[in-house]
Amino acid sequence: MFAGFFCAVKRNFPPPRSFFSVTDKQRAPDDWTVVQAVLAGKPGAFQTLVRRYERQVANIIYLSLGNREDVEDLSQEVFLRLYQSLPRLNPQRSLFSWIYRITANLCIDEIRRRKIKRILSLEFLIDEGRSLAEMGGRVHAPDRILEDQERRHAIVQALQNLPADHRITIVLREYEDLSYEEIADALQISVPAVKSRLFRARERLRALLEPHLRGGS
Amino acid sequence: MKHIPKQELHGFHDGRLSAEREREIVLHISSCNACRMESEDLARIRSWILSAGDVRPHSSFAGDAETRAYDTEQLEGQWLGIEKVAARTVLVLSVLVAALTAFSMIASPPASASVDAVLNDDRQDSTVVQFMVEHEISRDEALVAAVTKQE
């Protein structure tokens, strides 16, 4: 019954549990229609909105922070902030840009908070050495799956070595495929600033991932 | 062979160049190892970031998020109710205190008006009472004495 409900959504999501009754031929309601439903107190409407963006939000958080443990809590926080801000949102603007802004701000705050915490605890001296050693290590395992896992780990570790604002910019570009203008809107910066951050982030990543890039794959 | 500037290669990677310039770059990287390698690096980094983002929220995540949002709203609503009641109580108490102060000002004027007050017998003046006791005189006599003393 709900097949095709989210055909207008950027990526594939499982169908929502409730909210609008639609047939296969009907298109998914746009974000603002759903927002109106949430504001009108329709049960399940907010859930629909969350399902649309939960995966993107979770992965931006994961790639920005580098650990899976906090992804759920922080994602919940993003959606809570979204819910609280819904009555104040401007329907002229895109909702996803607002969601990305909330997510980016939360990630940047969290990265800075953790950095301060690490500096205070001096843990970074150990972590820095470990992560660089892990990143520099060549992949010898013959198993392709293991190689992929190692590479994923390496890229996540490399991302953690970028400044917070560069990290979130490149994640929005490469993972979310946002345009420069969309990133500028989400992060409240200019398009040239987006270009500059992307350029620096990529050059840094290339340097950090040199062993993996030249390792042949 | 002149290499493609790095900034431009990034623009190419992001699809920000004109179709004509894109064609020129494609032609160039087909014959330039350095630029091709750089372009491939950018593409690899992108694909690795994409494949690293493999977190899938559990199936009840959206439901939990909705429940949490509604619960928080309700809780905040309750707090707002308590805050409103508190604010109203403070307002009522302030008005009451102000009214009582005004009433007491009218009902019992300040000490500076003591002679008139004593003469009008509006309130007990401890000086007059003390004078009565000390000199064993009546209240009227004490009042006259007080007025005379004041003058």
Side-chain angles (χ1 to χ4, degrees):
Chain A
M1 184 180 179
F2 290 114
F5 188 80
F6 282 117
C7 57
V9 183
K10 226 167 140 189
R11 289 168 194 258
N12 290 328
F13 288 94
R17 283 184 197 161
S18 52
F19 186 40
F20 297 113
S21 291
V22 287
T23 64
D24 290 354
K25 287 176 185 172
Q26 285 177 295
R27 292 183 67 233
D30 65 56
D31 284 345
W32 285 108
T33 311
V34 186
V35 169
Q36 290 307 314
V38 175
L39 294 175
K42 279 205 173 191
F46 188 62
Q47 218 176 113
T48 303
L49 214 53
V50 174
R51 281 187 192 281
R52 277 187 189 184
Y53 293 102
E54 61 183 2
R55 200 169 158 207
Q56 286 102 317
V57 167
N59 280 296
I60 293 171
I61 293 171
Y62 168 59
L63 292 170
S64 303
L65 300 180
N67 78 56
R68 290 168 192 269
E69 288 75 41
D70 302 322
V71 169
E72 186 169 335
D73 282 349
L74 291 170
S75 301
Q76 290 276 1
E77 185 61 31
V78 167
F79 287 109
L80 182 63
R81 287 187 193 185
L82 172 70
Y83 183 81
Q84 288 169 333
S85 64
L86 285 181
R88 300 191 304 272
L89 287 190
N90 179 0
Q92 306 299 321
R93 305 196 57 174
S94 74
L95 185 72
F96 78 80
S97 156
W98 180 246
I99 295 175
Y100 289 140
R101 187 181 301 177
I102 296 174
T103 312
N105 287 338
L106 193 79
C107 286
I108 290 171
D109 288 349
E110 188 64 21
I111 291 164
R112 289 186 178 146
R113 199 180 61 78
R114 287 179 184 193
K115 201 172 172 184
I116 293 169
K117 207 174 153 190
R118 275 174 70 215
I119 289 170
L120 290 177
S121 68
L122 297 177
E123 271 174 34
F124 75 102
L125 290 173
I126 305 158
D127 286 357
E128 208 82 348
R130 192 174 54 209
S131 63
L132 286 172
E134 282 168 356
M135 277 163 41
R138 285 283 181 105
V139 178
H140 293 298
D143 192 343
R144 175 104 187 142
I145 297 166
L146 201 63
E147 254 181 51
D148 286 350
Q149 277 178 355
E150 294 240 10
R151 201 178 295 132
R152 276 204 291 270
H153 181 68
I155 187 81
V156 173
Q157 286 296 327
L159 283 168
Q160 307 319 303
N161 280 275
L162 302 180
D165 42 6
H166 290 191
R167 206 185 303 179
I168 199 78
T169 310
I170 197 160
V171 169
L172 290 179
R173 173 73 201 120
E174 307 292 34
Y175 183 78
E176 285 304 317
D177 199 26
L178 297 194
S179 68
Y180 291 1
E181 288 74 16
E182 286 168 334
I183 297 172
D185 186 37
L187 301 182
Q188 299 273 274
I189 54 174
S190 64
V191 170
V194 173
K195 270 190 203 175
S196 156
R197 283 186 187 182
L198 278 177
F199 181 78
R200 289 182 193 180
R202 283 174 177 151
E203 289 303 306
R204 177 93 177 116
L205 283 179
R206 279 186 70 209
L208 288 166
L209 296 165
E210 182 75 20
H212 293 273
L213 288 165
R214 304 287 155 256
S217 49
Chain B
M1 184 185 289
K2 197 183 169 194
H3 294 303
I4 296 163
K6 281 189 174 191
Q7 297 270 15
E8 209 172 9
L9 210 54
H10 285 237
F12 169 72
H13 177 71
D14 288 330
R16 306 282 298 186
L17 306 180
S18 67
E20 193 187 342
R21 186 62 189 141
E22 271 189 8
R23 268 196 303 275
E24 287 168 7
I25 289 176
V26 169
L27 263 177
H28 175 86
I29 59 178
S30 65
S31 58
C32 173
N33 269 341
C35 290
R36 187 171 58 243
M37 196 185 284
E38 207 162 323
S39 179
E40 282 172 1
D41 284 354
L42 295 179
R44 275 201 194 118
I45 288 172
R46 170 170 291 174
S47 87
W48 291 355
I49 291 177
L50 267 173
S51 67
D54 58 355
V55 176
R56 282 180 176 273
H58 58 80
S59 56
S60 63
F61 177 84
D64 294 348
E66 186 173 76
T67 308
R68 189 178 169 198
Y70 290 166
D71 286 353
T72 308
E73 189 184 39
Q74 238 173 5
L75 199 68
E76 280 176 357
Q78 281 170 8
W79 274 108
L80 207 65
I82 292 169
E83 281 163 4
K84 273 182 189 168
V85 169
R88 280 176 192 162
T89 310
V90 168
L91 187 71
V92 168
L93 283 175
S94 306
V95 169
L96 264 173
V97 168
L100 281 172
T101 310
F103 180 74
S104 69
M105 293 277 281
I106 295 164
S108 44
S112 60
S114 65
V115 174
D116 286 341
V118 169
L119 285 174
N120 293 332
D121 204 17
D122 278 337
R123 68 185 181 97
Q124 281 290 330
D125 188 315
S126 61
T127 319
V128 176
V129 174
Q130 199 181 349
F131 203 75
M132 282 166 65
V133 174
E134 275 175 19
H135 296 86
E136 295 179 358
I137 53 174
S138 69
R139 180 173 178 77
D140 290 341
E141 286 168 334
L143 283 173
V144 171
V147 172
T148 313
K149 197 178 174 186
Q150 187 103 0
E151 285 169 347

